[in-house]
């Protein structure tokens, strides 16, 4: 099998030389480490995920640990498929969608991707601004403005090379782990209840909202595009089937380790806030620091602020990279990274400021997580369709057992989203019920369009022609 095409996302990217062993080698594996950790910070450890873990702990206690574990597992399954697509085809997912679907379908997928990226960027703005408020006492409006500056400072890191960028993300993960685990040490864990929460699935009526928020925070649309692009930074001999197979195994292992670390950090956050279960006020990113300070002193609040700051910074860069690859892939449009950051950050700051004027900024995060959940099918459908194509993926197409595992999960997510829309309409009553039912019908219609739309399943020659 020979698949060789230059993806749009490979432009201006430094390729990393790797060995040519066709048997497992730990030294060889280390050359593949990086993309999974970068993705884990962008999806599994961003401020939205931190908020989702807080809410899960406060409202559901240890009983929602199984949701965190299950969602992380299926997040891993989708992420490894995204990495497999990039590894096998040498093309990123956004570019493949443009080349295989009609222009109207491509436009729909691109718009949904941009909405998800902007939503994620708002969460990063909010998380970083709250961290600056905790650490330095900055008013939230000033913290929001500071996120513009730090985005460009982080961008300079990417100019130093892919490996250095990945090291920065690894450092942020270490900072988060240290800060949050240290705080948990003050509080302690009921290990018996935690173990029960991991293996016994319980979902009460009052935990539906935080469950949806948690799922939307973990399985994020933009990082599925990102992962398929990041694997292109490794040079792989795609003429050699064994080399491709080993690359897939290395990326799978790296993803399992990085997302395992992300799961542990998220579980630590959830277990930390079980102490405040049924708290009289709703705990959010800012109030979480306050209650930690009241219970354990300034040091605990500072550690919380440091962890939140690391989360916001890393996810900011991941979001900027996702936006760059999505725009290049779908529109075949090359924008300088700083211009792309300026656009998405401006779109994120505006709603953040408006929310600041009329309500609490961090009260926005749960709604944004649910919006992320609603957007997931718009990447999962093309992901599953492309990865199932034997013509495009050859022997690396999805196996039958993978389809039987992932397609029902997709249908369940779809049903969960529709249920959530109707439920919100019923809660508000009046005309909102009809509005939400109408939106649910439109939503299902859009999913049907991308599910049954013709797909070219382009051959190698056609793809090469498209990219030239």
């Amino acid at each position: 099998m020979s698949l060789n095409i230059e993806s749009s996302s490979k432009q201006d990217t430094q390729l990393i030389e790797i060995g040519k062993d066709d048997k497992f080698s730990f030294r060889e594996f280390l050359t593949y480490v990086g993309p999974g950790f970068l993705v884990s910070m962008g999806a599994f450890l961003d401020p939205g995920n931190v908020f989702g873990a807080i809410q899960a702990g406060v409202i559901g206690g240890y009983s929602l640990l199984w949701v965190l574990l299950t969602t992380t597992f299926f997040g891993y399954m989708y992420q490894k498929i995204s990495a497999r697509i990039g590894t096998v085809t040498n093309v990123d997912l956004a570019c493949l969608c443009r080349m295989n679907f009609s222009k109207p379908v491509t436009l729909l997928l691109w718009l949904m991707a941009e909405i998800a990226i902007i939503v994620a960027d708002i969460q990063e703005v909010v998380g970083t601004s709250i961290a600056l408020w905790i650490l330095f006492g900055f008013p939230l409006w000033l913290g929001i403005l500071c996120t513009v500056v730090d985005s460009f400072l982080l961008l300079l890191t990417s100019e130093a090379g892919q490996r250095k960028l990945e090291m920065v993300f690894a450092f942020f993960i270490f900072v988060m782990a240290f800060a949050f685990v240290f705080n948990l040490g003050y509080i302690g864990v009921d290990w018996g209840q935690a173990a029960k929460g991991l293996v016994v699935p319980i979902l009460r009526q009052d935990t539906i909202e935080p469950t949806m928020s948690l799922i939307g925070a973990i399985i994020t649309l933009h990082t599925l595009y990102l992962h398929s692009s990041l694997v292109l930074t490794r040079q792989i001999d795609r003429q050699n089937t064994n080399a491709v197979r080993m690359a897939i195994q290395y990326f799978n292992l790296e993803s399992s380790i990085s997302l395992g670390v992300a799961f542990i950090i998220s579980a630590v956050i959830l277990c930390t806030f079980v102490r405040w279960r049924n708290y009289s006020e709703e705990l959010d990113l800012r109030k979480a620091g306050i209650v930690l300070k009241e219970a354990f002193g300034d040091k605990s609040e500072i550690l919380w602020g440091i962890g939140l700051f690391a989360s916001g910074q890393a996810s900011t860069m991941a979001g900027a990279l996702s936006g760059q690859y999505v725009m290049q892939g779908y529109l075949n449009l090359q924008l300088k990274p700083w211009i792309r950051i300026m656009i998405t950050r401006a779109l994120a700051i505006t709603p953040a400021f408006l929310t600041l004027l009329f309500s609490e900024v961090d009260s926005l995060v749960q709604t944004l997580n649910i919006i992320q959940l609603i957007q997931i099918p718009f990447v999962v459908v093309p992901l599953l369709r492309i990865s199932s194509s034997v013509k495009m993926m050859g022997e690396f197409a999805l196996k039958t057992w993978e389809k039987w595992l992932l397609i029902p999960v997709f249908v369940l997510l779809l049903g969960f989203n529709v249920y959530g829309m109707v439920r919100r309409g019923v809660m508000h009553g009046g005309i909102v019920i009809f509005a939400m039912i109408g939106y649910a019908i439109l939503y299902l219609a859009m999913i049907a369009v991308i599910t049954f739309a013709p797909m070219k399943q382009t051959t190698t020659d056609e793809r090469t022609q498209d990219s030239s």
Side-chain angles (χ1 to χ4, degrees):
M1 180 181 61
S2 172
L3 295 171
N4 188 17
I5 172 176
E6 291 298 319
S7 168
S8 60
S9 64
K10 291 179 68 176
Q11 298 184 22
D12 302 323
T13 299
Q14 296 181 4
L15 293 175
I16 297 174
E17 294 284 351
I18 60 177
K20 300 183 182 299
D21 294 339
D22 58 0
K23 294 182 180 180
F24 183 86
S25 162
F26 182 73
R27 186 173 182 178
E28 176 87 358
F29 165 68
L30 292 179
T31 63
Y32 286 84
V33 173
F37 282 96
L38 203 155
V39 166
S40 72
M41 287 299 297
F44 294 75
L45 295 173
D46 70 326
N49 186 280
V50 174
F51 177 85
I54 292 173
Q55 290 298 300
V58 171
I59 298 176
Y62 296 114
S63 69
L64 290 185
L65 277 172
W66 73 273
V67 174
L68 180 62
L69 178 62
T70 305
T71 306
T72 301
F73 170 74
F74 284 107
Y76 160 73
M77 291 295 294
Y78 286 126
Q79 289 293 346
K80 80 168 190 173
I81 292 172
S82 173
R84 188 193 304 178
I85 288 174
T87 302
V88 173
T89 66
N90 202 24
V91 191
D92 63 88
L93 180 59
C95 188
L96 284 173
C97 289
R98 170 175 58 83
M99 293 155 55
N100 282 280
F101 293 107
S102 65
K103 287 186 177 180
V105 172
T106 298
L107 179 62
L108 174 62
L109 292 173
W110 172 66
L111 288 175
M112 294 299 106
E114 291 294 345
I115 290 172
I117 291 168
I118 292 170
V119 165
D121 211 40
I122 295 172
Q123 293 175 318
E124 291 143 17
V125 166
V126 171
T128 302
S129 62
I130 292 173
L132 292 173
W133 173 79
I134 292 172
L135 296 172
F136 305 110
F138 288 1
L140 292 183
W141 65 267
L142 179 59
I144 290 173
L145 291 179
C146 287
T147 62
V148 178
V149 177
D150 63 41
S151 297
F152 289 100
L153 292 177
L154 279 174
L155 181 62
L156 294 177
T157 305
S158 65
E159 299 298 322
Q162 182 71 19
R163 260 318 201 196
K164 291 184 175 62
L165 176 64
E166 291 166 356
M167 290 175 65
V168 169
F169 275 80
F171 170 74
F172 281 134
I173 291 177
F174 172 78
V175 170
M176 285 188 68
F178 172 79
F180 294 146
V181 171
F182 201 92
N183 262 338
L184 183 63
Y186 285 120
I187 297 169
V189 179
D190 184 335
W191 294 106
Q193 289 298 313
K196 180 181 177 182
L198 275 174
V199 299
V200 180
I202 298 174
L203 191 62
R204 303 190 311 271
Q205 187 70 25
D206 63 327
T207 61
I208 291 178
E209 197 90 354
T211 296
M212 294 179 67
S213 176
L214 197 59
I215 296 173
I218 292 175
I219 305 177
T220 53
L221 178 149
H222 65 289
T223 55
L224 289 172
Y225 286 111
L226 178 62
H227 209 163
S228 69
S229 299
L230 291 175
V231 297
L232 303 181
T233 59
R234 272 58 177 177
Q235 287 185 324
I236 301 166
D237 180 10
R238 290 175 175 80
Q239 306 290 337
N240 185 335
T241 301
N242 287 332
V244 175
R245 182 178 293 106
M246 288 305 301
I248 292 172
Q249 291 179 15
Y250 285 134
F251 281 130
N252 288 347
L253 177 59
E254 191 244 355
S255 293
S256 65
I257 293 172
S258 61
L259 299 188
V261 171
F263 165 76
I264 292 172
I265 295 176
S266 297
V268 163
I269 298 170
L270 187 154
C271 292
T272 297
F273 290 94
V274 171
R275 176 188 175 96
W276 287 275
R277 189 176 181 185
N278 301 320
Y279 188 66
S280 57
E281 298 180 38
E282 180 180 348
L283 278 189
D284 48 38
L285 296 174
R286 182 165 39 164
K287 291 174 185 173
I290 295 173
V291 297
L292 285 169
K293 179 180 179 180
E294 291 174 348
F296 306 107
D298 292 341
K299 184 186 295 185
S300 188
E301 182 188 33
I302 291 172
L303 285 170
W304 175 254
I306 291 172
L308 188 58
F309 182 77
S311 169
Q313 292 301 284
S315 56
T316 290
M317 196 63 210
L321 290 172
S322 299
Q324 178 186 344
Y325 294 146
V326 164
M327 182 167 285
Q328 288 175 184
Y330 272 116
L331 304 184
N332 205 20
L333 177 65
Q334 305 296 320
L335 284 182
K336 292 185 180 298
W338 70 268
I339 296 177
R340 172 70 207 190
I341 286 182
M342 182 68 76
I343 294 172
T344 56
R345 192 45 45 112
L347 292 172
I349 284 177
T350 302
F353 263 120
L354 289 175
T355 308
L356 178 64
L357 292 175
F358 298 106
S359 64
E360 295 289 335
V361 172
D362 34 20
S363 65
L364 187 65
V365 179
Q366 178 156 304
T367 300
L368 296 178
N369 279 344
I370 293 174
I371 293 175
Q372 292 273 38
L373 177 61
I374 292 173
Q375 300 301 101
I376 291 172
F378 292 100
V379 68
V380 170
V381 169
L383 185 81
L384 293 178
R385 292 190 66 184
I386 290 171
S387 60
S388 297
S389 171
V390 175
K391 187 175 181 180
M392 300 175 70
M393 298 289 292
E395 65 183 86
F396 301 106
L398 284 186
K399 305 295 187 292
T400 302
W401 71 266
E402 291 176 310
K403 295 177 185 178
W404 278 105
L405 180 65
L406 293 173
I407 292 177
V409 172
F410 164 73
V411 174
L412 184 63
L413 284 175
L414 204 58
F416 212 1
N417 281 334
V418 172
Y419 169 77
M421 295 174 195
V422 176
R423 180 172 177 267
R424 288 205 161 198
V426 172
M427 287 172 59
H428 288 85
I431 194 172
V432 178
I433 297 177
F434 298 100
M436 294 306 296
I437 291 176
Y439 178 68
I441 294 172
L442 175 62
Y443 177 73
L444 291 174
M446 290 189 292
I447 300 300
V449 167
I450 62 175
T451 301
F452 299 106
M455 189 175 75
K456 294 178 182 177
Q457 301 189 67
T458 55
T459 65
T460 307
D461 291 337
E462 291 177 45
R463 277 198 294 247
T464 306
Q465 184 178 7
D466 184 282
S467 64
S468 60

